[in-house]
Amino acid sequence: MTEYIVPYQDAESEFTEKRSRFITHLYKVETEAEARARIEEMKKKYYDARHNCWCYLLQEGGVVRYSDDGEPQGTAGQPMLNVFQRQEVWNVCCVVTRYFGGVLLGAGGLTRAYTKGATDVLTAAGIARMGLWTLWDVPCTYPLLERMKLEVAAAGGVVRDAEYG
């Protein structure tokens, strides 16, 4: 995959549905550890909330994870994940915090609410298309190969392959 879509920036959105308050945070992440750290950060920040449902998708390795965090199975994490999969957005971590308002939403209502939270926050964040900018052939002698790899990495580049002759 030479081109993929990521969130443009971190974002937050909030709405109320039948007195339940839904607070959504979206983060750009590169690793699973970074995604887990963001999830833990939200759980600590909103420790008194009834639910902190989350999902994340990572382009490298195709890692996809989600959690309903006590909501009925398939009504929170999976609908949020579906929003990002339909838009083909990668390297994203989304956490929706729910403060229960006393009115049961039912499975359909929960699914719609968590989908709305993910959709709203993705709209707020915007999207960016990541892709290969330019491809260069850099001839060098074998003793300079490691030095050249370090210089390319320092400039934010990637050495895709090497041909020895």
Side-chain angles (χ1 to χ4, degrees):
M1 185 182 300
T2 59
E3 197 171 90
Y4 58 97
I5 299 170
V6 298
Y8 180 71
Q9 62 188 358
D10 295 346
E12 179 180 341
S13 71
E14 183 175 333
F15 71 96
T16 303
E17 180 71 32
K18 294 187 180 175
R19 297 193 324 228
S20 282
R21 184 173 162 215
F22 292 86
I23 306 165
T24 309
H25 290 84
L26 179 136
Y27 299 102
K28 292 171 24 177
V29 293
E30 296 292 326
T31 65
E32 197 162 1
E34 189 179 350
R36 294 270 183 199
R38 292 296 193 164
I39 292 164
E40 289 306 312
E41 176 184 327
M42 290 299 101
K43 284 183 176 184
K44 285 179 185 172
K45 182 176 180 179
Y46 298 107
Y47 67 91
D48 57 339
R50 177 75 63 95
H51 305 282
N52 284 292
C53 304
W54 53 266
C55 71
Y56 60 87
L57 297 88
L58 300 174
Q59 194 269 334
E60 190 169 320
V63 177
V64 175
R65 305 266 189 272
Y66 67 91
S67 170
D68 294 324
D69 191 38
E71 293 284 22
Q73 184 177 356
T75 60
Q78 186 67 51
M80 292 162 46
L81 188 68
N82 291 342
V83 169
F84 301 110
Q85 288 176 327
R86 277 195 304 270
Q87 298 291 326
E88 297 179 0
V89 176
W90 292 95
N91 294 357
V92 60
C93 176
C94 181
V95 181
V96 178
T97 301
R98 178 185 181 200
Y99 284 96
F100 184 61
V103 178
L104 296 176
L105 300 178
L110 286 172
T111 300
R112 285 188 296 277
Y114 283 102
T115 299
K116 177 179 173 34
T119 303
D120 289 353
V121 80
L122 183 58
T123 301
I127 59 172
R129 190 170 303 275
M130 303 294 284
L132 186 63
W133 283 13
T134 183
L135 186 61
W136 290 0
D137 285 329
V138 181
C140 72
T141 61
Y142 186 76
L144 292 177
L145 179 62
E146 290 304 315
R147 176 66 181 180
M148 192 269 305
K149 285 181 179 179
L150 290 172
E151 292 295 331
V152 169
V158 177
V159 176
R160 290 171 54 133
D161 63 15
E163 291 180 20
Y164 304 98

